[in-house]
Amino acid sequence: MVMQITFKDVTADYQLGPIRSANILKNVNLALPTHSFTAIVGHTGAGKSSLLKTINGLLLPRDGSVEVGEIVITADKPKKALKEVRQHVGMVFQFPEAQLFAETVEKDICFGPLNFDVPLEEAKKRTKKALEFVGLDETLLEVSPFSLSGGQQRRVAIAGILAMEPDVLILDEPGAGLDPEGKREILSMIKQLHSKEKLTTIIVTHDMDDVAAYADDVVVMEQGTVAAYQSVRDFFSDTERLQNWRVDFPEARKLQLKVEEETGVKLPQICLTIDELTESLIEVGLA
Amino acid sequence: MNKLILGRYFPGESLLHHLDPRAKLVSAIYFIALLFVANNWQGYLLLWAFTFFVMRLSDVKLKTYLRGVRPLIWLILFTVFLQILFTAGGTIYIDWGLITISKFGLINGAFIFSRFVMIIFISTVVTLTTKPIDLTDGINALLSPLKTIKVPVDEIALMLSISLRFIPNLLDETQKVMDAQRARGTTFGEGSLAQQMKKLTPIVMPLFVSSLKRAEDMADVMEVRGYQSGKPRTSFRRLAWRKKDTLSICGMVFLTIIVVLLRNEGVNYLN
């Protein structure tokens, strides 16, 4: 399904009783094309999570509008539009295992689809498929989610979103708190799903290696505004600007800069992954 | 979620903020007792005036206090209503057999209403102007005589301060879980009461699980740092009783004298 996401002059804030927080998002204009894989980076409090929340109407814009495919979300709570948009947008929160509640894994994964009036049989079918996709065994269906390990719980929670069969998948630091191996597995699983199901994927991450390895484009958020929106390669080529933003480099790029500094030899391309770096080093005869 | 006023602390620099928590607690409890001493409109008028004076001193807007009453208003009106309907005596205005609206009923209703609202106002003043940690220190100090009859006062105070400490976290977490379940298609505040109750499971369950887990972690951390229940503990912050605290207690005594004087005169009035 074609699902471009367009932010038009989006301004939003959280109303906390008597305290009205400063604008969390300020005049955000952004258009993410359909089927793209976008990484959102930025410091804590830069508005990354809030930006995600406006996409499925958990945070409504005070001014401006967010368009997801054909659906338009504005300030005046269009209830039907919210339900519709949430059906198309699957959102995996930070530490999603905190949302598990049902007695069995199956019931928990079915929760989303059933809320959107998917027939029980179909929901169960999807559950099996989603569980298999996240790499868990079917025997776990009847087990309580609370008896699983942390990593397994994370996978069950993600399966709960996948079973909704969304067209847009949003993930807020899906790898946080996992060991490197588990993190890599989850991210490559997401990438695989992205290409297979032609999803529009948005991911918040702090790890520049993830950005380099999985994303096509990068959005840099700074104090509630979009500071940059570029392709990954363009983003990492501008060394000086990155240092100004205090954004880290991918490990391969760091090593490249170090090698260039030590040997005085400039490599022919910006290397974002270990493979690219190896290739370039062979090319210039350093390895 | 963020609308709850009773039990919240609003930072400030007013006189009330700087009073000793013990003075505030004793005065508030004392004032509540005093509400039951007054029995005529002069007495209540005086108490109302005092309540507004204290609210004024706290430097918090009246609107905030009214918001604190709002969640309880139906309970209050219900009680007042019962009082009006089932108190007999004096001139009768409406008579439907068992149910009558009489002069005494109306007076009683007004008194009950005043008591309820003033209790809420005064306790809100205390919590709005006292840091939760000061409040528990104050409670600890006031209850400490009970230690002689083996009441675990320190433990009670610690439990109290820990629970107060985690209220904001719990609220945050509730918000997060609600968001997550909303994203999975639940809509809150729709459907019949039974349906709405059912929708609470996906929120309450995760909160229970995380609270229990946190309690366990917390217990471990405390033990690692050498906490043992039943052992005497010193405290980092000491409460200091100052002149203004004594003065505020004197004020309360003065208020009592007037209320009692008004009361004696009032008995004649009611009859």
Side-chain angles (χ1 to χ4, degrees):
Chain A
M1 208 177 203
V2 180
M3 277 287 167
Q4 78 287 357
I5 299 168
T6 317
F7 296 86
K8 283 186 186 155
D9 275 324
V10 173
T11 300
D13 56 23
Y14 291 99
Q15 189 113 36
L16 285 175
I19 310 143
R20 186 172 203 145
S21 62
N23 288 348
I24 294 291
L25 297 174
K26 287 175 237 161
N27 291 317
V28 173
N29 280 296
L30 194 63
L32 307 175
T34 184
H35 310 328
S36 58
F37 197 123
T38 312
I40 301 182
V41 301
H43 290 287
T44 320
K48 297 175 306 240
S49 300
S50 306
L51 189 72
L52 296 188
K53 279 193 198 168
T54 56
I55 300 175
N56 71 347
L58 288 172
L59 174 66
L60 292 169
R62 202 185 59 209
D63 289 309
S65 66
V66 182
E67 289 167 28
V68 180
E70 302 286 298
I71 312 159
V72 185
I73 308 168
T74 50
D76 47 338
K77 297 191 186 180
K79 266 212 167 142
K80 236 185 104 202
L82 289 186
K83 184 116 187 175
E84 208 187 333
V85 82
R86 283 171 196 165
Q87 187 164 11
H88 291 293
V89 180
M91 182 140 177
V92 178
F93 280 85
Q94 218 174 83
F95 300 108
E97 56 272 26
Q99 74 197 34
L100 298 174
F101 71 95
E103 307 95 275
T104 66
V105 167
E106 185 176 35
K107 279 187 187 166
D108 208 289
I109 300 179
C110 279
F111 180 69
L114 291 180
N115 277 331
F116 291 112
D117 303 321
V118 173
L120 186 62
E121 279 311 304
E122 168 70 12
K124 284 192 172 175
K125 227 167 75 194
R126 287 188 190 183
T127 301
K128 276 202 187 116
K129 211 175 111 193
L131 201 66
E132 195 193 317
F133 190 82
V134 297
L136 292 179
D137 198 78
E138 219 176 90
T139 51
L140 293 180
L141 278 177
E142 295 305 319
V143 169
S144 159
F146 300 113
S147 66
L148 303 177
S149 74
Q152 284 175 320
Q153 284 187 1
R154 173 89 43 109
R155 283 157 193 259
V156 169
I158 294 176
I161 306 298
L162 299 186
M164 287 159 54
E165 302 198 339
D167 302 303
V168 179
L169 189 59
I170 304 179
L171 305 111
D172 196 347
E173 296 198 47
L178 293 182
D179 57 288
E181 185 62 30
K183 188 176 164 185
R184 209 163 25 242
E185 271 175 33
I186 284 195
L187 283 166
S188 33
M189 185 183 89
I190 291 161
K191 182 77 180 176
Q192 195 192 332
L193 189 75
H194 170 81
S195 339
K196 200 178 102 194
E197 304 283 338
K198 293 213 172 8
L199 300 178
T200 307
T201 308
I202 303 169
I203 184 172
V204 165
T205 180
H206 284 291
D207 189 332
M208 292 305 144
D209 280 312
D210 293 346
V211 175
Y214 302 105
D216 306 324
D217 305 308
V218 185
V219 171
V220 183
M221 293 292 293
E222 211 176 41
Q223 294 175 345
T225 56
V226 176
Y229 175 45
Q230 289 176 304
S231 76
V232 167
R233 201 159 292 276
D234 288 348
F235 174 68
F236 284 120
S237 1
D238 200 338
T239 317
E240 210 168 293
R241 203 158 62 139
L242 288 190
Q243 275 158 353
N244 281 341
W245 278 326
R246 282 174 291 140
V247 167
D248 215 5
F249 290 106
E251 289 301 321
R253 176 78 179 135
K254 269 192 220 162
L255 189 57
Q256 181 189 9
L257 290 172
K258 195 126 201 177
V259 169
E260 284 177 356
E261 198 187 340
E262 292 287 321
T263 61
V265 182
K266 205 116 177 100
L267 297 188
Q269 63 162 344
I270 308 271
C271 304
L272 299 183
T273 61
I274 296 297
D275 288 343
E276 283 175 16
L277 182 63
T278 322
E279 224 171 80
S280 301
L281 286 175
I282 292 171
E283 207 181 310
V284 296
L286 282 175
Chain B
M1 207 64 46
N2 296 299
K3 285 170 192 138
L4 208 65
I5 295 297
L6 192 67
R8 269 251 198 121
Y9 170 65
F10 274 35
E13 290 297 325
S14 75
L15 171 68
L16 288 180
H17 282 86
H18 290 294
L19 277 185
D20 188 286
R22 284 169 296 185
K24 279 188 269 190
L25 276 170
V26 169
S27 304
I29 295 165
Y30 191 80
F31 181 82
I32 290 168
L34 213 53
L35 284 175
F36 293 88
V37 173
N39 64 352
N40 55 12
W41 66 270
Q42 290 98 327
Y44 276 102
L45 203 64
L46 179 73
L47 292 174
W48 270 114
F50 178 80
T51 308
F52 278 103
F53 171 68
V54 172
M55 276 156 59
R56 201 51 220 278
L57 273 185
S58 73
D59 264 355
V60 179
K61 285 195 200 102
L62 180 66
K63 221 173 93 190
T64 314
Y65 287 102
L66 292 179
R67 279 229 315 275
V69 177
R70 206 188 287 158
L72 292 168
I73 194 72
W74 291 113
L75 182 73
I76 297 172
L77 288 182
F78 179 71
T79 319
V80 169
F81 199 59
L82 286 186
Q83 277 294 326
I84 293 177
L85 292 185
F86 296 111
T87 311
T91 325
I92 288 168
Y93 301 114
I94 297 174
D95 190 347
W96 293 321
L98 191 68
I99 297 166
T100 54
I101 293 184
S102 65
K103 187 176 175 188
F104 279 18
L106 285 176
I107 292 175
N108 242 333
F111 286 177
I112 295 270
F113 179 79
S114 301
R115 268 184 218 156
F116 260 120
V117 175
M118 279 194 266
I119 288 175
I120 295 171
F121 279 166
I122 284 295
S123 25
T124 313
V125 167
V126 175
T127 55
L128 282 184
T129 60
T130 319
K131 284 188 204 124
I133 190 136
D134 284 335
L135 210 56
T136 43
D137 280 355
I139 291 171
N140 196 359
L142 290 177
L143 290 182
S144 55
L146 292 178
K147 276 181 197 162
T148 49
I149 54 164
K150 299 248 159 85
V151 178
V153 174
D154 287 329
E155 279 73 23
I156 292 172
L158 186 72
M159 267 162 57
L160 211 61
S161 62
I162 289 175
S163 9
L164 286 173
R165 155 71 185 77
F166 280 109
I167 287 174
N169 293 51
L170 202 63
L171 289 180
D172 269 4
E173 226 158 277
T174 313
Q175 192 60 53
K176 268 186 204 150
V177 174
M178 277 176 81
D179 274 351
Q181 308 301 21
R182 264 204 209 110
R184 293 213 272 170
T186 337
T187 38
F188 299 108
E190 259 178 30
S192 68
L193 193 65
Q195 277 171 329
Q196 289 201 35
M197 297 288 280
K198 229 180 131 193
K199 279 179 189 167
L200 286 182
T201 326
I203 300 174
V204 175
M205 271 306 291
L207 288 179
F208 262 123
V209 173
S210 64
S211 300
L212 287 175
K213 197 171 150 357
R214 186 161 45 211
E216 249 174 70
D217 290 349
M218 179 93 188
D220 283 346
V221 170
M222 280 168 68
E223 232 171 86
V224 167
R225 296 208 274 172
Y227 176 82
Q228 273 176 303
S229 67
K231 290 276 170 69
R233 301 174 69 214
T234 53
S235 69
F236 177 65
R237 294 138 16 88
R238 298 261 173 92
L239 299 175
W241 189 271
R242 274 176 294 234
K243 215 173 179 178
K244 54 189 170 199
D245 302 310
T246 315
L247 277 177
S248 66
I249 297 288
C250 291
M252 291 309 292
V253 174
F254 185 62
L255 188 70
T256 316
I257 296 169
I258 306 180
V259 169
V260 168
L261 285 179
L262 283 174
R263 180 188 158 93
N264 292 340
E265 193 187 324
V267 172
N268 302 326
Y269 166 81
L270 256 186
N271 292 332

